[in-house]
């Protein structure tokens, strides 16, 4: 609470405020001069932020007299800067929930050993994951689609293993991705055109796609962006070393995962299309369980596309070096399961097999399938996959699209989602949805006044750790487990209220260490939270080689919510002494 004092106190506070503002301006000027530039040394993001930052954004930050936050609850020990040491070089690509050695101790059945198996709390690393020597900022999109700096993912095995397939080529100090591959003898663009012959990807109806087993560097998915299709890809961390890592370096959304025994981490009706190109998933096995899982995440009216074995087996069985009878049986089973799911009759076009999920359950009555309970898909995180079909939302008309009809992109961006307009999301109405949209437009405009390159294209891979109506916070749920991704995945990470949300479940230190692991050198973090939380986060971040800046809420200093901007410093293996502390 504000207190009155004598005029001398006021002059002292005024002088202190001026000193703080001038000091911060000088700090960011020196920071910009310090940041290195050029190939192999980052991209000097701090220079651009410094040049364009308006120092008047920082008015009086005397929190004790200008906000209602409870900073008195902060212990003095929490204000001390704790220095985190770098991990040993062997952890440069460490993935805590997909460690190769640990994975081999789990059962092979149904790919269980390739699923998430996180280290227990007592075995977690408490050091900073270093970047490899020579690490550079990835090329900007769309150049990154075709080129990846060798130093960022120094693995040549694929260039040898897939040398004749035109997937990946090592040239000088970069990897080049020509857009070819086993399924793309005429290039990825020609393959996308072939897809368009069976699926309407030109009219905006297909916006979101799931690639089930993205193969080497998720090749075709990079080219779907041309059609305004955003694809989320996944693949296990297996013998195809760094395939997901290559995808991320190229700016293609991907995560480490597999269709095994656990449900996919998506709610029902998430995607317009699911795609498999030579993904080697046994769709014919497990009584159709994997096809049922794809059906769960497909929207009514969505498409499934399969290319590669066993499709068109009559022509390709010799090249695949597999018996005709085995391939024929597999394809027959796949088509049988598609029929049980009531997908519209599949179309075969050259090497493609496609099916379409029906609009509603009224168009199909199949007593041969086991229906999942209504609550089956309410919470899918780390839930066991079952042989059952997820029921459609109720409809009152035979022509009604279950769950609501989707608007073609880009109109979809500004439309209220059917889940909200139908009232199926508890606590969220059309009005609150619009209010939330306006609020975040306001927040983002305020972010741009501090970081004026926010929408310049500098940030390609972005993670929102708590997106509210599109929450990404599930990966930190309960046990604060690590994300299923490689180190140095994201250019920008946004955390709205994460530390308050998980204060009783995860330590602030654990969340920040995981954030540092998945953030690229010279990447940016934006944290929005209560002032007492921000102060704790700021102190920890300063010991993690982050340059930080705390600013007031855009509505003024009396609002207890504050915003912390942080830029991870550029450093690589060998810049300081390393430790492998667990």
């Amino acid at each position: 609470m504000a207190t009155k004092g004598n005029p001398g106190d006021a002059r002292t506070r005024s002088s202190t405020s001026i000193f703080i503002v001038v000091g911060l301006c000088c700090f960011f000027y020196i920071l910009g001069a310090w940041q290195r530039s050029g190939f192999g040394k980052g991209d000097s993001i701090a220079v651009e932020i410094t040049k364009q930052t308006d120092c008047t954004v920082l008015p009086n930050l005397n929190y004790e007299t200008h906000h209602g936050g409870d900073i008195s609850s902060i212990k003095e020990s929490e204000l001390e800067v704790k220095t985190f040491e770098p991990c040993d070089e062997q952890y440069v690509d460490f993935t805590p929930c997909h460690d190769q050695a640990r994975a081999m101790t789990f059962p092979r059945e149904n790919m269980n050993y390739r699923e998430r198996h996180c280290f227990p709390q007592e075995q977690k690393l408490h050091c900073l994951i270093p970047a490899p020597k020579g690490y550079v900022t990835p090329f900007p999109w769309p150049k990154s689609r075709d080129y990846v700096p060798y130093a960022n993912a120094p693995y040549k095995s694929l260039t040898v293993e897939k040398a004749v397939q035109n997937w990946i080529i090592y040239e000088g100090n970069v990897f080049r991705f020509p857009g070819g591959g086993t399924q793309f003898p005429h290039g990825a663009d020609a393959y996308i055109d072939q897809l368009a012959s069976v699926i309407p990807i030109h009219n905006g109806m297909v916006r979101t796609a799931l690639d089930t087993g993205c193969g080497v560097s998720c090749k075709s998915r990079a080219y779907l962006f041309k059609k305004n299709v955003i694809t989320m890809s996944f693949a296990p961390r297996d013998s195809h070393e760094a395939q997901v890592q290559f995808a991320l370096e190229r700016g293609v959304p991907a995560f480490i995962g597999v269709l095994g025994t656990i449900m996919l981490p998506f709610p029902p009706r998430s995607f317009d299309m699911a795609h498999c190109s030579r993904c080697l998933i046994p769709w014919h096995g497990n009584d159709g369980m994997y096809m049922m899982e794809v059906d769960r995440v497909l929207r009514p009216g969505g498409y499934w596309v399969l290319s590669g074995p066993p499709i068109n087996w009559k022509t390709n069985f010799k090249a695949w070096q597999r018996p005709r009878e085995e391939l024929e049986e597999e394809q027959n089973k796949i088509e049988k399961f598609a029929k049980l799911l009531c997908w519209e009759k599949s179309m075969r076009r050259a090497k493609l097999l496609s099916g379409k999920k029906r609009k509603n359950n009224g168009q199909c009555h199949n007593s041969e399938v086991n229906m999942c309970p209504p609550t089956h898909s309410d919470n899918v995180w780390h839930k066991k996959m079952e042989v059952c079909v997820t029921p459609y939302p109720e409809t009152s008309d035979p022509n009604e699209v279950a769950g609501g009809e989707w608007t073609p992109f880009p109109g979809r961006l500004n439309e209220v989602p059917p889940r909200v307009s139908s009232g199926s999301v508890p606590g969220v109405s059309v009005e609150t949805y619009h209010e939330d949209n306006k609020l975040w437009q306001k927040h983002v405009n305020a972010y741009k006044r501090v970081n004026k390159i926010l929408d310049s294209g500098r940030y390609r891979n972005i993670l929102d750790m708590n997106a509210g109506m599109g929450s990404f916070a599930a990966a930190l749920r309960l046990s604060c487990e690590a994300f299923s991704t490689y180190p140095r995945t994201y250019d920008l990470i946004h955390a709205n209220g994460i530390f308050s949300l998980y204060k009783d479940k995860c330590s602030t230190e654990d969340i920040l260490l995981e954030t540092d692991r998945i953030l690229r050198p010279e990447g940016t973090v934006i944290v929005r939270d209560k002032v007492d939380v921000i102060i704790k986060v700021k102190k920890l971040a300063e010991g993690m080689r982050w340059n930080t800046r705390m600013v007031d809420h855009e509505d003024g200093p009396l609002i207890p919510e504050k915003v912390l901007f942080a830029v991870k410093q550029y450093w690589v293996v060998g810049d300081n002494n390393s430790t492998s502390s667990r």
Side-chain angles (χ1 to χ4, degrees), residues 487-520:
R488 302 171 300 282
T489 288
Y490 297 104
D491 304 297
L492 172 66
I493 297 176
H494 180 254
N496 173 43
I498 279 292
F499 296 95
S500 290
L501 183 64
Y502 292 99
K503 64 180 180 181
D504 297 325
K505 299 174 182 176
C506 309
S507 74
T508 300
E509 180 176 314
D510 281 347
I511 296 176
L512 281 173
L513 282 170
E514 175 62 3
T515 302
D516 181 82
R517 183 184 75 86
I518 63 178
L519 183 67
R520 287 173 174 164

Side-chain angles (χ1 to χ4, degrees), residues 251-268:
V252 177
F255 66 96
I256 303 171
V258 65
L259 271 176
T261 67
I262 303 300
M263 296 172 72
L264 293 171
F266 304 107

Side-chain angles (χ1 to χ4, degrees), residues 191-226:
Y191 178 76
I192 300 302
D193 290 337
Q194 189 178 21
L195 275 181
S197 68
V198 295
I199 290 178
I201 61 176
H202 291 296
N203 62 6
M205 287 306 295
V206 175
R207 170 61 176 173
T208 57
L210 177 68
D211 190 40
T212 54
C214 66
V216 181
S217 68
C218 309
K219 45 207 169 295
S220 67
R221 277 50 89 200
Y223 291 83
L224 278 169
F225 285 116
K226 289 183 177 181

Side-chain angles (χ1 to χ4, degrees), residues 40 54 109 152 332 371 504 514 561:
D54 179 4
E109 185 180 4
N152 292 15
N332 288 339
M371 300 302 294
D504 297 325
E514 175 62 3
E561 183 179 80

Side-chain angles (χ1 to χ4, degrees), residues 186-459:
H186 303 294
D189 281 325
Y191 178 76
I192 300 302
D193 290 337
Q194 189 178 21
L195 275 181
S197 68
V198 295
I199 290 178
I201 61 176
H202 291 296
N203 62 6
M205 287 306 295
V206 175
R207 170 61 176 173
T208 57
L210 177 68
D211 190 40
T212 54
C214 66
V216 181
S217 68
C218 309
K219 45 207 169 295
S220 67
R221 277 50 89 200
Y223 291 83
L224 278 169
F225 285 116
K226 289 183 177 181
K227 308 295 184 182
N228 278 327
V229 178
I230 295 179
T231 304
M232 173 58 75
S233 303
F234 68 84
R237 187 170 183 179
D238 58 10
S239 57
H240 283 172
E241 191 173 28
Q243 58 181 333
V244 170
Q245 190 174 21
F246 277 130
L248 294 167
E249 287 292 326
R250 297 175 69 192
V252 177
F255 66 96
I256 303 171
V258 65
L259 271 176
T261 67
I262 303 300
M263 296 172 72
L264 293 171
F266 304 107
R269 310 187 306 281
S270 293
F271 297 97
D272 302 316
M273 179 179 80
H275 175 262
C276 162
S277 172
R278 202 177 174 84
C279 62
L280 304 182
I281 292 173
W283 301 109
H284 61 285
N286 293 314
D287 297 319
M289 183 171 67
Y290 297 149
M291 292 181 67
M292 293 175 185
E293 179 65 357
V294 168
D295 181 81
R296 182 185 70 82
V297 299
L298 270 183
R299 294 188 177 119
Y303 297 87
W304 181 63
V305 179
L306 173 63
S307 66
I311 306 307
N312 199 23
W313 59 268
K314 292 181 181 179
T315 303
N316 297 307
F317 76 94
K318 289 183 179 179
W320 294 335
Q321 298 181 349
R322 293 183 58 189
R324 295 167 54 104
E325 297 77 18
E326 181 180 283
L327 290 164
E328 182 179 16
E329 182 183 6
E330 286 184 13
Q331 181 159 328
N332 288 339
K333 284 186 176 181
I334 288 172
E335 294 183 357
K336 172 190 172 184
F337 292 139
K339 185 176 180 180
L340 287 174
L341 290 167
C342 292
W343 291 353
E344 292 183 7
K345 189 175 181 179
S346 300
M347 293 185 293
R348 298 183 192 176
R349 187 72 58 88
K351 298 180 180 179
L352 296 178
L353 177 70
S354 67
K356 183 179 181 181
K357 184 174 178 177
R358 294 185 183 271
K359 291 182 179 180
N360 58 58
N361 199 41
Q363 298 180 350
C364 177
H365 300 281
N366 196 330
S367 59
E368 296 183 44
V369 297
N370 177 36
M371 300 302 294
C372 304
T375 58
H376 177 69
S377 290
D378 289 352
N379 179 13
V380 300
W381 180 247
H382 221 267
K383 183 183 285 186
K384 188 176 179 60
M385 202 182 300
E386 297 179 25
V387 182
C388 63
V389 178
T390 303
Y392 285 79
E394 293 294 329
T395 55
S396 57
D397 186 276
N399 295 317
E400 182 182 354
V401 178
E405 191 163 1
W406 284 87
T407 303
F409 185 82
R412 189 185 299 185
L413 283 174
N414 300 311
E415 289 285 329
V416 178
R419 295 175 201 257
V420 174
S421 58
S422 65
S424 60
V425 181
V428 181
S429 65
V430 173
E431 291 73 22
T432 57
Y433 180 85
H434 284 308
E435 289 171 4
D436 186 75
N437 201 21
K438 290 178 181 178
L439 177 64
W440 279 103
Q441 288 177 1
K442 177 181 175 181
H443 287 338
V444 171
N445 286 335
Y447 293 165
K448 291 176 182 178
R449 290 198 293 271
V450 179
N451 182 346
K452 296 187 178 180
I453 63 171
L454 194 62
D455 57 357
S456 66
R458 163 60 178 80
Y459 304 111

Side-chain angles (χ1 to χ4, degrees), residues 58 88 111 131 153 160 189-190 222 279 282 285 459 470 481 485 557:
L58 293 175
D88 190 78
M111 297 292 284
V160 177
D189 281 325
C279 62
Y459 304 111
E481 293 180 348
T485 193

Side-chain angles (χ1 to χ4, degrees), residues 384 464 546 571:
K384 188 176 179 60
D464 194 346
W546 291 10
W571 64 278

